[in-house]
Amino acid sequence: MKILISICLLFFALVGCQKKSHPFDENRQVLRMNIHTEPPTLDARKATDTSSISIINTCFEGLMKRAKDGSIHPAIANKFKVSEDNLTYTFYLRDAKWWDGKPVTARDFENTWKTILSPNFGSGFANDLYVLKNARPAKIGEVSTDEIGVRAIDSKTLIVELEKPVPYFLDLIATHSFLAVPMHIATQYSHWADNCGPHFVGNGPYILDKWKHHNFMKLIKNPHYWDRDSVLLDEIELTIIEDETTELNMFESGELDWAGSPLSTLPTDALQALAADNRLQTYPLSGTYYYIFNVREPPFDNLNFRKAFALAINRQTIIDNITQSDQSPATSFIPPTIWKVESHFKDNDLAEANHLFDVALKEMGYTRQTLPTITLIYNTSSAHHKIAQAIQEQWFQAFGIRVKLANKEWKVFLDELSHKQFQVARMGGIASFKDPVTFFDLYKYPDSCNNFSGWSNPQFTHLIETAEKTTDPAKREEFLRAAEKIFMAEMPIAPIYYYTGTYVKKGYVKGILLTELSEADFKFAFLEMQ
Amino acid sequence: MIRFLSKKILILILSLFMVATLTFTLMQMIPGDPFTQEKAVPEEILKAMFHHYGLDQPWHVQYLKYMKGLITWDLGPSFKYQGRTVTEIIKEGFPVSMTLGLEALLLSIFCGVGLGCIASLKHLKWQDHFTMVIAVLGISVPSFILATFLQYLISMKLDLLPVARWGSFEHSILPAIALSALPMAFIARLTRSNMVEIMQQDYIQTAKSKGLNSFQIVTKHALRNALLPIVTYLGPLTTAILTGSFAVEKIFGIPGLGQWFVMSITNRDYTVIMGTTIFYSTILMVSVFLVDVLYCFIDPRIQLMQKRVKV
């Protein structure tokens, strides 16, 4: 026993003297963060997940870029021109270089987009590019990719033709879907972007210097970047750790400078304590957390029944006790970051909910006793589970019926949603660009692949289609607002809250731009003691 | 000996074939596919993806293709981590899990046998009770609780070791302790009960009466017999501990193989599911086989195959 104890003591004595947390050093600008999951690929033509896109946005730059306030400003393109009919955009590229010193050309953009849209290329977001002329026909093989509305007339000029006017086209251009990849490399090496090495070449402010899969990444300042003087950080060190509690522990013990959004999340259990210490930071995101009703099956095919369930939810209680990150109760589909919200109903309107519930039962010929069991499904996660439990209780208090809860593994959950094998399901999502259309598109047609609820309304479809053709912004908003009114009057979904991002950071971390689309821009980040 | 080996190897190949077939069938049955994502994509894009990865072929074709690949140890590319092959994933993850596993294995055998011996020599005294309390705790506290506790106490409160990550010896200490607790406790209990029984045997009494000291008795005579059941346990233990643990790897952010067993299924990453399962089965069967062989060195009374008795 004595030997054991002394071995243990020796062990700790040896390692005890060499410990880690290197304090902040102003001469070496190194930002240390954690990314929640390993990026599956850094090929901008293929990535669809948030962690890949975060790194891609740091290593690549597109024609336009989004600023903190949501406005769009030129990046690789230094200016652009729009035709009078809003169908043709001409982008003039600045002198920018890939990391290997080769120039970034208009042809790189043309060829990248055409590859994404070629029928045999496996890209999960090719439909984002369907705004381009002939894009969809090319993807399904009806026309050649040469007929897609994008062409480089010289190395610095790119002409983009659209299928129809898209008022938010510049917003789209600023997303990762419209980046360019170095075609001189991508055509030669199919896996150029899956490892760090000489083949992985970008054009953004930071160079990927090291990538140990599932372990860590190191990004360093790009000396070839066109706006290199604005980049202040020397390095960004990213650990890849999935466990949120571990990440927060590393932050607390000084191994990380930042924990939480947008590269990861904070553990829900820690939010209250962090908020009590005044350390929790929040910022609004363009997204809504909501429950979907399957309107194709009884009892949720009944409008009053759906309304009753939506009105009976007490959103504020959920925010105060469960989510606890400064969210606001959602009484509309489109979040306030996109436009000024019009409230379409009152949160926790129990009297009205009860009235509507009774009417609905009468209409369907049920009583409270004969009503079939209702099941609420959600993907396995402690946060969704807690919210579901609260809403189950609220519905029980309001109507005296006990809804069954069922958690599902992620892909099983999605499979049941797409086959409409559910009654009520949780859903939510962050907008991919800053326009209401990103939300309405989901419900535009009854057979839209993301229309899990199965709801449709010809008037709604007509309004969205009219808005698409309208170029006058004020008129367009009018049509879209009218569409939202119809949508919320028919309640295929019950909005719950508008998303926020939460994080904690060390005081010396400054200048990271967090956008409401849950992106981070590290270009202007720096470290400075107060 | 050769007959024994060839028979064992034949069984091994057959079992692997069964494992592969069964996993393939089960995998095809779970809902969802590698490309299911929250933002569903139009049919034509899904078709292009399925075509790109050969998933649009009828599944007997996929099965044959996979089996062919398996024989040449070409496990195919991962669907989720597009640029990496399953062989690469195993090559990168296994050494990490193995290093950590070996540390944990050594720790658990060394401490387990040590504690077991102490407990048996001080049978029914306080040392015995004390070690058995530790053993019960080791068995009943799950590794992820212990991992979190160690992280909190050693890294955050005492500031002795890093919270997580992988890269140096320091990083491996806490996960190794967390991983070794259960097998250590198990080995301690096994050793104790065997030793208690063996210490009462006649030959131990003889050794004692010949004037050997207790250290010599334990190491030369008692332990050798007491270790036999532990060796049996070592086969599956080695496999489990060397291929990594999902929970411990997740908590400490270790890029080992353990997480892939779970992650590949959540991602519906078909080739990785197959690859890791086959890899695990191979190691399991090989280590069970090695344990069989090891028996005859520890206990010469055991023979690999019964000699034919002439009637």
Side-chain angles (χ1 to χ4, degrees):
Chain A
M1 198 67 184
K2 273 180 195 162
I3 301 170
L4 264 182
I5 293 171
S6 32
I7 289 174
C8 288
L9 282 177
L10 188 72
F11 200 62
F12 285 121
L14 273 174
V15 294
C17 39
Q18 33 173 301
K19 158 84 194 194
K20 75 238 162 159
S21 49
H22 62 84
F24 167 73
D25 174 6
E26 233 170 272
N27 301 319
R28 209 171 143 255
Q29 294 271 319
V30 183
L31 174 69
R32 298 162 307 159
M33 288 177 80
N34 179 50
I35 185 158
H36 185 252
T37 42
E38 157 92 3
T41 177
L42 294 183
D43 189 335
R45 299 169 300 174
K46 292 180 180 170
T48 49
D49 64 295
T50 46
S51 42
S52 303
I53 293 167
S54 309
I55 305 294
I56 287 172
N57 281 338
T58 314
C59 296
F60 291 85
E61 199 166 82
L63 296 169
M64 308 297 276
K65 209 168 177 166
R66 181 182 305 281
K68 194 181 187 179
D69 60 356
S71 66
I72 305 292
H73 59 96
I76 294 294
N78 59 2
K79 59 181 185 201
F80 67 96
K81 207 169 69 189
V82 193
S83 69
E84 256 176 44
D85 56 2
N86 287 305
L87 282 174
T88 310
Y89 285 72
T90 312
F91 293 95
Y92 302 96
L93 276 65
R94 68 172 85 240
D95 287 323
K97 282 189 177 131
W98 297 104
W99 300 340
D100 60 2
K102 297 244 164 61
V104 179
T105 64
R107 199 157 288 281
D108 284 323
F109 283 91
E110 177 191 338
N111 291 342
T112 304
W113 299 356
K114 283 186 173 167
T115 320
I116 296 172
L117 289 168
S118 65
N120 291 327
F121 191 78
S123 171
F125 63 82
N127 50 322
D128 287 0
L129 276 70
Y130 281 3
V131 291
L132 303 180
K133 193 176 163 190
N134 282 332
R136 187 164 186 274
K139 187 74 192 175
I140 53 180
E142 280 175 5
V143 303
S144 136
T145 49
D146 294 337
E147 293 183 42
I148 297 171
V150 54
R151 75 200 137 88
I153 50 169
D154 57 50
S155 67
K156 292 268 176 276
T157 319
L158 185 75
I159 296 186
V160 182
E161 288 172 284
L162 305 184
E163 193 74 50
K164 53 190 173 193
V166 180
Y168 50 88
F169 182 66
L170 290 179
D171 271 274
L172 272 182
I173 279 284
T175 65
H176 73 97
S177 313
F178 286 84
L179 292 169
V181 300
M183 290 307 285
H184 60 282
I185 291 176
T187 44
Q188 280 186 55
Y189 308 97
S190 57
H191 293 304
W192 65 282
D194 299 320
N195 281 299
C196 176
H199 301 322
F200 182 63
V201 164
N203 63 349
Y206 295 97
I207 292 179
L208 183 69
D209 185 45
K210 278 197 185 113
W211 183 7
K212 287 227 171 194
H213 293 294
H214 289 271
N215 194 352
F216 77 95
M217 297 178 119
K218 192 167 113 185
L219 297 152
I220 55 170
K221 185 176 168 171
N222 176 7
H224 299 299
Y225 183 56
W226 65 270
D227 189 19
R228 55 192 156 276
D229 296 339
S230 305
V231 183
L232 296 171
L233 284 185
D234 296 315
E235 277 176 30
I236 304 176
E237 278 180 15
L238 293 170
T239 53
I240 305 170
I241 291 173
E242 212 179 299
D243 197 82
E244 297 143 7
T245 313
T246 302
E247 180 186 330
L248 186 60
N249 287 347
M250 286 176 77
F251 172 81
E252 298 289 10
S253 72
E255 291 171 51
L256 292 177
D257 300 322
W258 186 291
S261 298
L263 300 185
S264 180
T265 40
L266 290 174
T268 40
D269 297 333
L271 293 176
Q272 199 175 9
L274 292 172
D277 289 355
N278 276 331
R279 290 197 295 156
L280 186 70
Q281 316 248 10
T282 60
Y283 63 103
L285 293 176
S286 293
T288 311
Y289 185 96
Y290 56 90
Y291 277 2
I292 306 181
F293 301 118
N294 181 355
V295 305
R296 299 254 172 107
E297 303 278 335
F300 288 101
D301 56 345
N302 183 297
L303 171 62
N304 289 323
F305 201 72
R306 295 199 293 271
K307 274 189 166 171
F309 272 71
L311 294 186
I313 299 171
N314 188 342
R315 294 161 179 80
Q316 195 61 53
T317 320
I318 292 170
I319 292 164
D320 293 343
N321 299 300
I322 302 169
T323 59
Q324 299 178 351
S325 331
D326 230 5
Q327 290 95 344
S328 45
T331 48
S332 70
F333 187 27
I334 310 298
T337 43
I338 293 204
W339 69 19
K340 196 173 171 298
V341 162
E342 260 174 62
S343 191
H344 292 269
F345 58 91
K346 205 179 121 210
D347 180 27
N348 195 28
D349 190 351
L350 284 179
E352 181 67 8
N354 253 307
H355 167 69
L356 290 169
F357 186 70
D358 289 334
V359 174
L361 287 187
K362 217 178 254 173
E363 283 170 355
M364 293 188 291
Y366 287 126
T367 63
R368 279 170 207 251
Q369 286 72 36
T370 58
L371 188 72
T373 316
I374 292 163
T375 311
L376 161 62
I377 63 166
Y378 50 92
N379 56 304
T380 311
S381 129
S382 66
H384 300 326
H385 178 67
K386 284 178 196 162
I387 294 171
Q389 277 182 319
I391 291 180
Q392 178 193 42
E393 188 55 30
Q394 290 170 2
W395 284 341
F396 178 71
Q397 298 287 345
F399 312 126
I401 54 160
R402 187 64 78 185
V403 169
K404 219 176 107 192
L405 302 184
N407 67 322
K408 308 270 170 175
E409 191 259 355
W410 180 232
K411 297 235 170 180
V412 176
F413 174 75
L414 290 178
D415 194 67
E416 292 191 1
L417 278 187
S418 54
H419 290 100
K420 304 207 170 30
Q421 293 164 342
F422 71 100
Q423 292 177 301
V424 191
R426 87 97 215 162
M427 214 354 110
I430 309 285
S432 39
F433 51 91
K434 204 189 159 190
D435 194 274
V437 168
T438 176
F439 293 94
F440 290 142
D441 261 351
L442 310 176
Y443 295 90
K444 196 157 110 190
Y445 303 112
D447 53 352
S448 301
C449 49
N450 280 292
N451 186 350
F452 299 127
S453 114
W455 174 84
S456 68
N457 180 317
Q459 217 185 333
F460 174 82
T461 310
H462 176 72
L463 280 166
I464 301 290
E465 282 174 346
T466 320
E468 276 174 0
K469 287 178 215 142
T470 314
T471 44
D472 176 17
K475 273 217 174 116
R476 184 170 175 270
E477 188 177 327
E478 219 170 88
F479 290 126
L480 291 172
R481 287 212 183 257
E484 194 190 26
K485 213 168 190 179
I486 294 176
F487 185 79
M488 288 318 298
E490 299 215 354
M491 286 236 182
I493 64 155
I496 296 173
Y497 62 80
Y498 306 119
Y499 279 112
T500 55
T502 52
Y503 63 91
V504 283
K505 68 171 185 110
K506 300 284 182 210
Y508 50 76
V509 180
K510 286 169 190 171
I512 298 181
L513 296 190
L514 299 168
T515 72
E516 56 213 30
L517 303 182
S518 194
E519 300 159 335
D521 187 352
F522 297 105
K523 183 174 161 182
F524 302 105
F526 62 100
L527 310 180
E528 184 190 59
M529 267 308 178
Q530 296 90 324
Chain B
M1 185 72 178
I2 291 166
R3 268 194 54 184
F4 168 79
L5 283 178
S6 46
K7 196 178 153 194
K8 278 278 175 189
I9 289 169
L10 201 74
I11 293 176
L12 197 139
I13 293 171
L14 221 92
S15 324
L16 280 180
F17 170 75
M18 301 257 289
V19 168
T21 312
L22 210 71
T23 318
F24 190 87
T25 322
L26 287 173
M27 203 172 69
Q28 295 287 334
M29 282 160 62
I30 26 176
D33 57 65
F35 313 117
T36 322
Q37 49 174 345
E38 187 162 350
K39 201 178 149 212
V41 292
E43 198 66 20
E44 69 269 10
I45 289 171
L46 218 54
K47 253 189 205 158
M49 304 278 283
F50 269 71
H51 180 73
H52 192 83
Y53 292 99
L55 289 172
D56 53 350
Q57 291 162 326
W59 67 281
H60 63 270
V61 178
Q62 290 183 43
Y63 175 73
L64 286 178
K65 204 172 128 197
Y66 189 78
M67 281 305 186
K68 223 187 262 169
L70 197 61
I71 293 166
T72 53
W73 200 243
D74 170 19
L75 300 171
S78 155
F79 288 115
K80 169 111 180 176
Y81 298 94
Q82 296 167 0
R84 300 167 69 193
T85 62
V86 179
T87 321
E88 267 169 26
I89 288 173
I90 294 176
K91 257 192 213 159
E92 279 169 30
F94 183 58
V96 174
S97 291
M98 197 176 72
T99 316
L100 182 62
L102 275 178
E103 257 178 62
L105 196 66
L106 288 177
L107 196 68
S108 57
I109 295 175
F110 180 71
C111 297
V113 171
L115 285 175
C117 285
I118 292 166
S120 63
L121 292 177
K122 306 281 178 187
H123 189 44
L124 298 181
K125 291 188 186 140
W126 71 265
Q127 292 94 330
D128 182 20
H129 298 307
F130 180 70
T131 11
M132 284 309 108
V133 167
I134 295 181
V136 168
L137 275 178
I139 288 175
S140 46
V141 176
S143 61
F144 56 91
I145 304 259
L146 186 64
T148 319
F149 173 73
L150 286 172
Q151 219 175 42
Y152 179 76
L153 184 77
I154 310 282
S155 305
M156 297 187 64
K157 288 289 144 193
L158 300 176
D159 210 26
L160 288 173
L161 291 167
V163 175
R165 285 191 68 182
W166 183 252
S168 66
F169 176 65
E170 286 176 69
H171 289 112
S172 67
I173 297 170
L174 292 187
I177 296 176
L179 264 182
S180 65
L182 177 83
M184 176 168 76
F186 201 80
I187 291 174
R189 288 186 65 96
L190 264 180
T191 313
R192 174 185 172 270
S193 56
N194 289 324
M195 286 284 284
V196 166
E197 197 188 317
I198 284 161
M199 289 305 276
Q200 281 153 11
Q201 298 281 330
D202 290 345
Y203 65 92
I204 300 290
Q205 301 301 330
T206 316
K208 270 187 194 163
S209 57
K210 277 163 89 180
L212 290 180
N213 64 30
S214 54
F215 182 75
Q216 279 174 317
I217 294 173
V218 169
T219 47
K220 280 200 172 156
H221 300 281
L223 209 53
R224 199 168 165 159
N225 284 308
L227 283 185
L228 213 52
I230 294 164
V231 174
T232 318
Y233 172 60
L234 274 185
L237 171 69
T238 315
T239 317
I241 219 169
L242 290 191
T243 47
S245 136
F246 173 68
V248 171
E249 284 183 8
K250 188 165 180 273
I251 291 171
F252 289 103
I254 294 164
L257 196 59
Q259 51 183 331
W260 288 96
F261 293 105
V262 181
M263 226 161 55
S264 60
I265 299 172
T266 353
N267 293 333
R268 304 290 187 272
D269 202 339
Y270 293 148
T271 42
V272 183
I273 300 180
M274 291 294 288
T276 45
T277 316
I278 303 279
F279 184 71
Y280 186 88
S281 325
T282 315
I283 297 208
L284 179 67
M285 286 175 208
V286 169
S287 54
V288 168
F289 167 72
L290 286 179
V291 165
D292 280 355
V293 178
L294 213 61
Y295 275 150
C296 13
F297 290 101
I298 297 178
D299 191 343
R301 286 171 302 181
I302 298 174
Q303 284 175 339
L304 291 179
M305 274 183 117
Q306 281 183 328
K307 281 188 185 138
R308 281 191 194 162
V309 183
K310 280 182 187 166
V311 184

